[in-house]
């Protein structure tokens, strides 16, 4: 048995839909299995949602073959595991505590037959990783296109579902948060979102242009050699280095690079929203030009990266704004 088998069980949802119980016999229902953390450091699944004895918990899920592996791997000393809400194991050989709180433990061996691991191995080695993938070849193109539209609509809803919380701070803050999470990509979207809250756009726009990037860098808490310069952000407003993830990332995607890129972009973007009146073709040209300013030699935006930022920030922002104004088609 390997830990990756447990990940596979979880990702494919090969679990009973009812009567799941924790090691202490509490009832548990999995409301959201979370997002699989394939490469980076930290828990195995992020953004999960579970119901335990009538109480809903949001957070991360960590997997081990044995519950004692939590201590073997030193997670008790890693702040990245502070928001773990569920410990999923094959064998429960030790109680695990997080700051004197017993972490709920789900023992998969009690709910899944042990010989099922042979079937898991077959799936892991299959050329079709997802069940029924081969059947796509038999589906008419018109049905696939309809499903794509439904998926796009669902994706836009998911990306904009929490924007109402920032709407009270103005459209600039909404777009600013989307830009931040886009620069953070999948790995560091959460700390980037927190950065956009710690250093909101209203505060940045009160600063001189050349100070805005510096303020973002300082608030990030990353060691980017600004100590000898003027402190724009109070020390108690700094984030912590442990909140940023690097494992599995190309060095060009490290938070030290992305935060500098984000700071420089925000420093030059005017947030005047004049682009809302542009045609679709002119809008794309304009958005690409927002990256064309005098660059520091160490900060480079690739064409692929520019496109990703536009797709994951401006596109959902425009969709969200269209929905609010009743202009969405």
């Amino acid at each position: 048995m390997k830990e990756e088998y447990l990940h596979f069980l979880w990702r494919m949802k090969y679990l009973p839909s009812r009567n799941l119980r924790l090691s202490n016999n509490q009832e548990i229902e999995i409301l959201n299995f979370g997002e699989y953390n394939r490469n980076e450091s930290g828990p195995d699944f992020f953004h999960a949602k579970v119901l335990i004895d009538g109480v809903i918990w949001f957070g991360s899920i960590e997997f081990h073959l044995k519950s004692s592996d939590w201590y073997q791997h030193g997670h008790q000393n890693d702040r990245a595991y502070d928001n773990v809400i569920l410990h999923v194991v094959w064998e429960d050989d030790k109680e695990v505590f997080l700051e004197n709180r017993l972490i709920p433990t789900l023992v998969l061996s009690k709910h899944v037959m042990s010989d099922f691991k042979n079937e898991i191995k077959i799936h892991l080695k299959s050329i079709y990783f997802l069940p029924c993938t081969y059947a796509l070849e038999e589906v008419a193109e018109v049905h696939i296109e309809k499903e794509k539209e439904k998926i796009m609509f669902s994706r836009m809803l998911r990306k904009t579902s929490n924007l109402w919380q920032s709407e009270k701070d103005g459209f600039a803050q909404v777009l600013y948060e989307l830009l931040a999470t886009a620069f953070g990509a999948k790995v560091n979207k959460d700390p980037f979102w927190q950065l956009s809250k710690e250093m909101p756009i209203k505060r940045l726009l009160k600063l001189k242009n050349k100070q805005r990037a510096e303020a973002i860098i300082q608030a990030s808490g990353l060691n980017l050699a600004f100590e000898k310069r003027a402190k724009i952000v109070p020390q108690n407003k700094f984030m912590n280095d442990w909140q940023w993830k690097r494992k599995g990332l190309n060095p060009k995607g490290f938070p030290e690079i992305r935060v500098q890129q984000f700071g420089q972009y925000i420093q030059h973007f005017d947030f005047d929203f004049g682009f809302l009146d542009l045609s679709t073709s002119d809008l794309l040209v304009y958005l690409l030009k927002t990256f064309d300013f005098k660059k520091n030699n160490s900060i480079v935006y690739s064409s692929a990266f520019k496109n990703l930022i536009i797709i994951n920030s401006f596109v959902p922002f425009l969709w969200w704004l269209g929905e609010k104004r009743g202009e969405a088609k």
Side-chain angles (χ1 to χ4, degrees):
M1 177 65 68
K2 295 182 180 179
E3 192 174 304
E4 65 176 329
Y5 300 157
L6 306 189
H7 296 169
F8 182 85
L9 283 171
W10 197 258
R11 293 169 64 193
M12 295 296 105
K13 302 178 176 60
Y14 285 153
L15 295 171
S17 59
R18 298 180 180 179
N19 302 322
L20 282 176
R21 289 188 175 272
L22 299 173
S23 59
N24 62 0
N25 208 36
Q26 283 184 307
E27 292 184 359
I28 179 172
E29 181 180 351
I30 313 302
L31 304 178
N32 188 323
F33 285 74
E35 299 176 13
Y36 184 42
N37 175 13
R38 187 183 298 274
N39 296 315
E40 66 206 70
S41 58
D44 295 308
F45 286 80
F46 298 133
H47 313 302
K49 181 180 178 182
V50 300
L51 178 68
I52 300 177
D53 269 2
V55 178
I56 296 178
W57 294 78
F58 298 88
S60 301
I61 299 177
E62 177 64 7
F63 282 70
H64 289 117
L65 292 182
K66 296 182 178 181
S67 52
S68 59
D69 289 342
W70 177 280
Y71 295 105
Q72 293 277 345
H73 298 171
H75 297 332
Q76 71 276 15
N77 301 317
D78 190 339
R79 295 293 305 277
Y81 291 82
D82 283 1
N83 70 336
V84 169
I85 57 172
L86 181 65
H87 194 198
V88 181
V89 302
W90 190 257
E91 178 184 342
D92 183 26
D93 64 339
K94 187 179 183 66
E95 290 186 327
V96 175
F97 291 85
L98 185 61
E99 295 184 348
N100 298 319
R101 174 179 67 88
L102 181 65
I103 302 178
T105 300
L106 177 64
V107 185
L108 286 186
S109 59
K110 293 183 178 180
H111 301 285
V112 178
M113 294 177 60
S114 60
D115 59 359
F116 189 61
K117 64 182 181 181
N118 293 324
E119 185 175 341
I120 298 173
K121 289 181 180 179
I122 295 173
H123 280 289
L124 289 174
K125 294 178 180 179
S126 172
I127 59 172
Y128 296 117
F129 184 71
L130 295 177
C132 302
T133 303
Y134 62 89
L136 284 175
E137 300 172 2
E138 302 175 9
V139 180
E141 185 69 22
V142 62
H143 298 304
I144 293 178
E145 290 303 315
K146 286 182 178 179
E147 285 302 312
K148 286 181 179 179
E149 290 181 9
K150 288 170 59 178
I151 291 171
M152 184 192 71
F153 186 81
S154 176
R155 181 177 177 82
M156 289 297 104
L157 280 178
R158 177 168 55 81
K159 279 184 167 291
T160 59
S161 61
N162 294 321
L163 295 183
W164 63 270
Q165 300 178 45
S166 305
E167 184 182 346
K168 64 181 184 300
D169 298 318
F171 289 169
Q173 179 65 24
V174 172
L175 178 57
Y176 174 60
E177 290 181 20
L178 285 169
L179 282 164
T181 53
F183 271 85
K186 186 174 183 179
V187 174
N188 278 305
K189 66 179 181 181
D190 287 345
F192 258 101
W193 179 82
Q194 183 176 343
L195 177 60
S196 71
K197 291 295 190 182
E198 297 289 344
M199 183 52 60
I201 192 62
K202 285 184 178 180
R203 189 182 305 169
L204 283 175
L205 294 179
K206 292 178 182 178
L207 300 174
K208 296 179 180 178
N209 278 16
K210 63 181 181 180
Q211 291 181 316
R212 293 173 187 171
E214 191 67 28
I216 287 174
I217 291 173
Q218 290 185 20
S220 73
L222 295 168
N223 182 18
L224 292 171
F226 60 79
E227 289 83 355
K228 295 183 180 180
R229 306 181 217 167
K231 297 292 192 297
I232 302 173
V233 182
Q235 186 75 32
N236 62 356
K237 294 292 184 180
F238 286 11
M239 293 174 61
N240 297 299
D241 182 81
W242 62 264
Q243 294 174 269
W244 301 93
K245 297 177 173 58
R246 300 168 181 82
K247 184 178 179 181
L249 290 175
N250 184 294
K252 292 181 181 179
F254 278 10
E256 288 80 0
I257 300 297
R258 292 300 187 221
V259 166
Q260 290 186 76
Q261 290 177 324
F262 177 61
Q264 190 174 59
Y265 185 85
I266 297 301
Q267 179 171 309
H268 292 86
F269 188 68
D270 52 25
F271 285 93
D272 68 356
F273 295 100
F275 61 86
L276 294 177
D277 298 321
L278 296 175
S279 65
T280 302
S281 57
D282 290 339
L283 177 61
L284 180 58
V285 172
Y286 166 80
L287 293 179
L288 289 172
K289 284 185 176 179
T290 61
F291 294 89
D292 295 338
F293 42 78
K294 187 177 180 180
K295 305 178 182 67
N296 181 306
N297 290 334
S298 65
I299 300 179
V300 178
Y301 303 90
S302 68
S303 296
F305 183 70
K306 293 177 187 178
N307 290 332
L308 282 175
I309 296 301
I310 292 172
I311 290 171
N312 290 302
S313 58
F314 287 100
V315 171
F317 174 75
L318 292 170
W319 186 88
W320 171 80
L321 193 58
E323 286 285 312
K324 283 190 63 62
R325 295 176 172 179
E327 299 171 354
K329 296 181 180 180

